[in-house]
Amino acid sequence: MEKAKAFLELTQGESDRVSSLAFPPHRLGTECSFYEYYSLRGIRVDRIEPGQLFCTFKVPPRLTDREGKLASGAIANLVDEVGGAVVYVEGLPMNVSVDMSISFLSSAKAGDELEVIGRVLGQKGGYSGTSVLVKNKTTGELIAEGRHSLFGKHASKM
Amino acid sequence: MEKAKAFLELTQGESDRVSSLAFPPHRLGTECSFYEYYSLRGIRVDRIEPGQLFCTFKVPPRLTDREGKLASGAIANLVDEVGGAVVYVEGLPMNVSVDMSISFLSSAKAGDELEVIGRVLGQKGGYSGTSVLVKNKTTGELIAEGRHSLFGKHASKM
Amino acid sequence: MEKAKAFLELTQGESDRVSSLAFPPHRLGTECSFYEYYSLRGIRVDRIEPGQLFCTFKVPPRLTDREGKLASGAIANLVDEVGGAVVYVEGLPMNVSVDMSISFLSSAKAGDELEVIGRVLGQKGGYSGTSVLVKNKTTGELIAEGRHSLFGKHASKM
Amino acid sequence: MEKAKAFLELTQGESDRVSSLAFPPHRLGTECSFYEYYSLRGIRVDRIEPGQLFCTFKVPPRLTDREGKLASGAIANLVDEVGGAVVYVEGLPMNVSVDMSISFLSSAKAGDELEVIGRVLGQKGGYSGTSVLVKNKTTGELIAEGRHSLFGKHASKM
């Protein structure tokens, strides 16, 4: 049991640094949250085509896991945000995530430059399916393939 | 295009606060990374049973999205880490994530107390399937159901 | 290329037996299709509780793959149909599948008796998340865990 | 309860037609099973490129659901088999399905001609990620996007 506690619970001094971070409230619905700044800072939108979004993201040290690789959760953040953005581009103002699935095919380390491509797969009523590819921009290797399904509450008048 | 850029790119002053955070390197493979502290700080392991792990996690403001809800990516972090921990408990020392899928069924806001339950679903060779439930601890409502499949490199002598 | 063709294309005599099957049209929207008879024949609903459905299904030879195991696709059919049925039980008359994900944890062979449990995980607008477990009824071993998300067109007035 | 039973259990005469089908045993591991003939008969492999497989499949009446649409389970069969074939093409002789996920974006009816494209996304040890697109060949509309992860037992000497 101690091993599992040690794996998940963070009792050491480093933990105090997290708690010392102040998170001033943001205006809900209009401003990005600190979480989004933390997850996305440094992402660059290179090109937008109808239903597609091409971004560049250099892996920052703050998003690496205990092995020094881009954390799986940080990849999930990219799938979440870039999938959400590509649908937002398509003109549906408010969407909620309903399903997300990701295959992790390779890894990235701090400093690697990633290409993140979001695509609208299709829309069915207020429901949108998106795909997000995360690639190593230098080698072209696919790091992760994700799907993110969103539901636009307003679009369907619910 | 400006809308999509504004959705993803973070050019405002808040962004500087993120960049001002220092991330001292951690010892790879043994220490938690800052990312893990950031994602998990405050989680408490309440109980461990064979193949199951019961945790409590109070939603911190740092993990909320622009609507003030626990971010989908932060839920993905819980599915990732708690699924990884429950397999780690089972004695496979090193695992890599191969697949993760999540259904988002409801939402949580800062201050809500969550129950996070990780379970081993089964193991096939070095491959482990885990399930992670994220519930509102007060109401019992299910916020998300995730599956996280991991692969233990050492277990299969690859 | 010949190998891949041989893997997928079915040019042998056995193929003629499939083509000789006659599929009389069914009344759309009210009658089960031949496909559903083919996939589900023999399933027994043992018990219904609010939001839950417990079934028994003895693996028929017609649903086995080239290794003699219950085909992955046949497991997907169970996740599809039992997930759909448990939401139908909940009173939403018409639903369309939007997402499905399955982890295959073990296998079953012809004659094995399965327990198939469908559960409603939650509902958000017209969107329903369901979970379907497929177990070996004798040993209790989990064969597959699936999620099936459906969307009720009528429920949301779209 | 009667409604749920009626939804899943097939007690009518049509059911007898299924039970009258004879399924002669096939040689395990070498011959296709009746299930595979039933699911795939009529598929045509048009083109094979490294890590990619392009097929055509005309929706047969036998695979339609009660609404007259290509059944979700039948789409899952395509994701399963075409994903398996594209990895088989890549030279890993024996694979087991470990994870599959599908987004259903549109529908198809009997007679529609589909394009089914299988791709290898990446390989990690004995683990392979594949993607399968199911499109309407005439309109180009995406009907489903699936991922299918397989694990090659022999490849990893387990």
Side-chain angles (χ1 to χ4, degrees):
Chain A
M1 172 143 176
E2 290 318 303
K3 274 181 155 191
K5 284 181 87 76
F7 189 98
L8 280 180
E9 295 187 358
L10 310 160
T11 49
Q12 301 93 325
E14 193 64 50
S15 176
D16 300 335
R17 294 189 55 239
V18 173
S19 51
S20 72
L21 298 170
F23 305 97
H26 58 286
R27 276 171 301 170
L28 297 187
T30 55
E31 282 183 328
C32 280
S33 67
F34 186 84
Y35 186 79
E36 289 164 298
Y37 283 104
Y38 185 79
S39 304
L40 290 179
R41 189 189 177 276
I43 202 167
R44 200 177 68 222
V45 177
D46 294 324
R47 202 165 86 248
I48 302 183
E49 298 177 5
Q52 293 198 75
L53 195 55
F54 298 82
C55 308
T56 299
F57 188 58
K58 194 169 166 181
V59 178
R62 72 178 184 277
L63 300 181
T64 55
D65 64 15
R66 69 189 73 188
E67 310 293 330
K69 307 286 177 58
L70 178 62
S72 304
I75 292 175
N77 284 325
L78 289 170
V79 171
D80 182 34
E81 294 285 344
V82 175
V86 74
V87 173
Y88 179 77
V89 169
E90 289 298 285
L92 296 173
M94 299 271 292
N95 290 281
V96 291
S97 296
V98 287
D99 275 290
M100 191 157 69
S101 80
I102 305 167
S103 287
F104 301 97
L105 301 154
S106 184
S107 59
K109 56 185 196 308
D112 283 353
E113 201 172 44
L114 307 181
E115 180 171 25
V116 186
I117 305 170
R119 283 198 183 99
V120 179
L121 292 171
Q123 301 189 317
K124 207 187 213 177
Y127 170 88
S128 302
T130 71
S131 162
V132 178
L133 297 178
V134 180
K135 292 181 173 187
N136 183 308
K137 198 162 187 170
T138 311
T139 65
E141 190 183 32
L142 191 57
I143 291 162
E145 208 262 7
R147 257 180 298 118
H148 181 190
S149 303
L150 299 107
F151 184 67
K153 288 191 287 191
H154 297 319
S156 64
K157 271 89 193 161
M158 294 200 327
Chain B
M1 172 145 178
E2 290 318 303
K3 274 182 157 191
K5 283 180 85 77
F7 189 97
L8 279 180
E9 294 187 359
L10 310 160
T11 49
Q12 300 94 325
E14 193 64 49
S15 175
D16 300 335
R17 294 189 55 241
V18 173
S19 51
S20 74
L21 298 171
F23 305 96
H26 59 286
R27 275 170 302 169
L28 298 186
T30 55
E31 282 184 328
C32 281
S33 67
F34 185 84
Y35 186 79
E36 289 164 297
Y37 283 105
Y38 185 78
S39 305
L40 290 178
R41 190 188 177 275
I43 202 167
R44 201 176 67 223
V45 177
D46 293 325
R47 201 163 88 250
I48 301 182
E49 298 177 4
Q52 294 198 73
L53 195 55
F54 298 82
C55 308
T56 300
F57 188 57
K58 193 168 167 182
V59 177
R62 74 178 182 276
L63 299 181
T64 55
D65 63 16
R66 68 190 73 189
E67 311 294 329
K69 307 286 176 58
L70 178 61
S72 304
I75 291 176
N77 284 325
L78 289 171
V79 171
D80 181 35
E81 293 286 343
V82 175
V86 73
V87 172
Y88 180 76
V89 169
E90 290 297 285
L92 295 174
M94 300 272 292
N95 290 280
V96 291
S97 296
V98 287
D99 275 290
M100 190 156 70
S101 80
I102 305 168
S103 288
F104 301 97
L105 301 153
S106 183
S107 59
K109 58 184 194 308
D112 284 354
E113 201 170 46
L114 307 181
E115 181 172 25
V116 186
I117 306 170
R119 282 196 185 102
V120 179
L121 292 172
Q123 302 188 316
K124 207 189 215 175
Y127 170 88
S128 301
T130 71
S131 161
V132 177
L133 297 178
V134 179
K135 293 180 171 188
N136 182 308
K137 198 163 187 169
T138 311
T139 65
E141 189 182 33
L142 191 56
I143 290 162
E145 209 261 7
R147 257 178 300 117
H148 181 188
S149 303
L150 300 107
F151 183 67
K153 289 190 286 190
H154 296 320
S156 65
K157 270 89 193 160
M158 294 200 327
Chain C
M1 174 145 177
E2 290 317 303
K3 274 180 156 193
K5 285 181 85 76
F7 190 97
L8 280 180
E9 295 187 359
L10 310 161
T11 49
Q12 301 93 326
E14 193 63 51
S15 176
D16 301 334
R17 292 190 55 239
V18 172
S19 52
S20 73
L21 297 171
F23 304 97
H26 59 285
R27 275 172 301 169
L28 297 187
T30 54
E31 283 182 328
C32 280
S33 67
F34 186 84
Y35 186 79
E36 289 164 298
Y37 283 104
Y38 184 79
S39 305
L40 290 178
R41 189 187 178 277
I43 203 168
R44 201 177 66 223
V45 178
D46 293 325
R47 201 164 88 248
I48 300 182
E49 298 177 4
Q52 293 198 73
L53 194 56
F54 299 82
C55 308
T56 300
F57 189 57
K58 193 168 164 182
V59 178
R62 73 178 183 276
L63 300 181
T64 55
D65 63 15
R66 68 189 75 189
E67 310 294 329
K69 307 285 176 59
L70 178 62
S72 304
I75 291 175
N77 284 325
L78 289 171
V79 171
D80 182 35
E81 294 285 342
V82 174
V86 73
V87 172
Y88 179 77
V89 169
E90 290 296 287
L92 294 173
M94 299 272 293
N95 290 281
V96 291
S97 295
V98 286
D99 275 291
M100 190 157 68
S101 81
I102 306 167
S103 287
F104 300 96
L105 301 153
S106 184
S107 59
K109 56 184 195 309
D112 283 355
E113 202 171 44
L114 307 181
E115 181 170 24
V116 186
I117 306 170
R119 283 196 183 99
V120 178
L121 292 171
Q123 302 188 317
K124 206 188 215 177
Y127 169 88
S128 301
T130 71
S131 162
V132 177
L133 297 178
V134 179
K135 292 181 173 186
N136 182 308
K137 197 161 188 171
T138 310
T139 65
E141 190 183 32
L142 192 56
I143 291 162
E145 209 260 6
R147 260 181 296 118
H148 181 190
S149 303
L150 299 106
F151 183 66
K153 289 191 287 190
H154 296 320
S156 64
K157 271 91 194 159
M158 295 200 324
Chain D
M1 170 141 177
E2 290 317 304
K3 273 183 157 190
K5 284 180 87 75
F7 189 97
L8 279 181
E9 294 187 359
L10 310 160
T11 49
Q12 301 94 324
E14 194 64 49
S15 175
D16 300 335
R17 294 190 55 241
V18 173
S19 51
S20 73
L21 298 170
F23 304 98
H26 58 288
R27 275 171 301 170
L28 298 186
T30 55
E31 283 184 326
C32 280
S33 67
F34 186 84
Y35 185 79
E36 288 163 298
Y37 283 103
Y38 185 80
S39 305
L40 291 178
R41 189 189 177 275
I43 202 167
R44 200 177 67 225
V45 177
D46 294 325
R47 203 164 87 249
I48 302 183
E49 299 177 3
Q52 295 198 73
L53 195 54
F54 299 82
C55 309
T56 301
F57 189 57
K58 194 169 166 181
V59 177
R62 73 179 184 275
L63 299 181
T64 55
D65 64 15
R66 69 189 73 189
E67 311 293 330
K69 307 286 177 58
L70 178 61
S72 303
I75 291 174
N77 284 326
L78 289 171
V79 172
D80 182 34
E81 293 285 343
V82 175
V86 74
V87 173
Y88 179 76
V89 169
E90 289 297 284
L92 296 173
M94 299 272 293
N95 290 281
V96 291
S97 296
V98 287
D99 275 290
M100 190 157 70
S101 81
I102 306 167
S103 288
F104 301 96
L105 301 153
S106 184
S107 59
K109 57 184 195 310
D112 283 355
E113 200 170 46
L114 308 180
E115 181 171 24
V116 186
I117 305 169
R119 281 196 185 100
V120 178
L121 293 171
Q123 303 189 316
K124 208 188 215 176
Y127 169 88
S128 302
T130 70
S131 162
V132 178
L133 297 178
V134 180
K135 292 181 171 187
N136 182 309
K137 197 162 186 171
T138 311
T139 66
E141 190 183 34
L142 191 56
I143 290 162
E145 208 261 8
R147 256 179 301 117
H148 181 189
S149 304
L150 300 107
F151 183 66
K153 289 191 286 190
H154 297 319
S156 65
K157 271 86 193 163
M158 293 199 330

